Amino acid sequence: MFSVNAYAAPSANEPLVPTTIERRDVGAHDVLIEIKYAGICHSDIHTVRGDWGPQSYPLAPGHEIAGIVSAIGSEVTKHAIGDRVGVGCMVNSCRECENCRKGEEQYCLKGMTGTYGAVDRDGTITQGGYSTHVVVTEDFVVRIPQGIELDAAAPLLCAGITTYSPLRHWGAGPGKKVAVVGLGGLGHMAVKLAHAMGADVTVLSQSLKKMEDGLRLGADHYFATSEPATFEKLARTFDLIINTVSAPIDISSYLQLLTLDGALVNVGAPAEPLPVNVFSLITGRRSFAGSAIGGIRETQEMLDFCAEHGLGAEIEVIPADKINGAYERVLASDVRYRFVIDVSTLV
């Protein structure tokens, strides 16, 4: 084991503070990554504050990691020293179950190992990317192609794949009408990706204050959900709705915006249940579904797609000592559209 600098939450009710955490020594199949940038995800805030259940503290969050390989194990074949690489929301899985064998490690039947706050294979609790270095088995490290800057690439490891996976799975593309609920950290990437896939894209936001941004990012249409006429005008319009918000919304009203056989897919993760009127489903053979990140193969596919289309996250880079302020701004929706920590400031 060796120590590295990090920012961690001492408890659910305290600000994150500079500290040190332990990393395992580099094993035969491991990659040591010098982290350059780490994105701040809404999930980080939910997790460290105990919204999704009790945690083990101190806890260093961060699952949007971009950096450079600085050492490799003796049997590593997929990565080399100096490679530009990333790590997302998971760092291991059983590798043996049906879902893992299909390349859907995020749905590992024995439970994938999260990048932070999970029990690692050695029994320790995983610590995330708000740190200078991380050691990850080579199979859960992806290549960041040239053409994507490392800072703009970091959020792709969560926000990018979380929206790319359902867009691909539910067939976003030419001839399909896709709506994105919320233009935030997830939503802005959903708009970019759906547009690049060739879909007709609509943003559904509480107000029109981000309309100019939404159209710039690739939306064809933009509507305010605070206006009752929106739901009347857009009834039975969309083939696919991606709900990116991590707060309760009236799901049944949004289901009415789907055409026959349309699907509303939840990728935001509010702490509260989302009740559904079953007649909103029955009357249009509609589906209400959920989706969690993507497997390693699909994550690499997403990064290659972003490089091909010149896509990266819209970011605000901050020093490490601004993390707590950034958390408050995320909760106030005061970021356009993802905070990224410059890890060189983590000293």
Side-chain angles (χ1 to χ4, degrees), residues 140-294:
F140 285 78
V141 177
V142 290
R143 174 183 51 84
I144 296 177
Q146 297 295 330
I148 310 177
E149 297 298 327
L150 286 180
D151 53 0
L156 300 180
L157 278 303
C158 175
I161 187 57
T162 295
T163 51
Y164 181 91
S165 186
L167 288 168
R168 277 292 190 224
H169 183 79
W170 274 274
K176 293 295 183 72
K177 292 185 176 181
V178 175
V180 176
V181 182
L183 191 68
L186 291 173
H188 90 284
M189 284 307 310
V191 169
K192 285 189 172 191
L193 290 164
H195 173 74
M197 291 174 184
D200 183 270
V201 184
T202 297
V203 173
L204 301 174
S205 186
Q206 286 184 311
S207 73
L208 299 180
K209 67 180 182 180
K210 297 180 182 178
M211 183 173 181
E212 184 177 342
D213 276 3
L215 299 176
R216 174 179 60 83
L217 295 171
D220 299 285
H221 319 281
Y222 200 108
F223 291 91
T225 56
S226 57
E227 298 292 334
T230 292
F231 289 89
E232 298 173 11
K233 181 175 182 177
L234 298 179
R236 298 176 297 279
T237 293
F238 301 109
D239 301 291
L240 175 64
I241 299 174
I242 304 293
N243 176 27
T244 72
V245 301
S246 292
I249 65 170
D250 183 359
I251 290 294
S252 297
S253 293
Y254 286 85
L255 287 168
Q256 299 290 348
L257 304 182
L258 292 170
T259 188
L260 180 67
D261 292 325
L264 191 162
V265 183
N266 225 71
V267 296
E272 305 88 345
L274 295 174
V276 176
N277 181 337
V278 70
F279 287 100
S280 300
L281 299 169
I282 290 173
T283 54
R285 201 163 61 195
R286 303 177 177 107
S287 300
F288 178 39
S291 179
I293 57 170

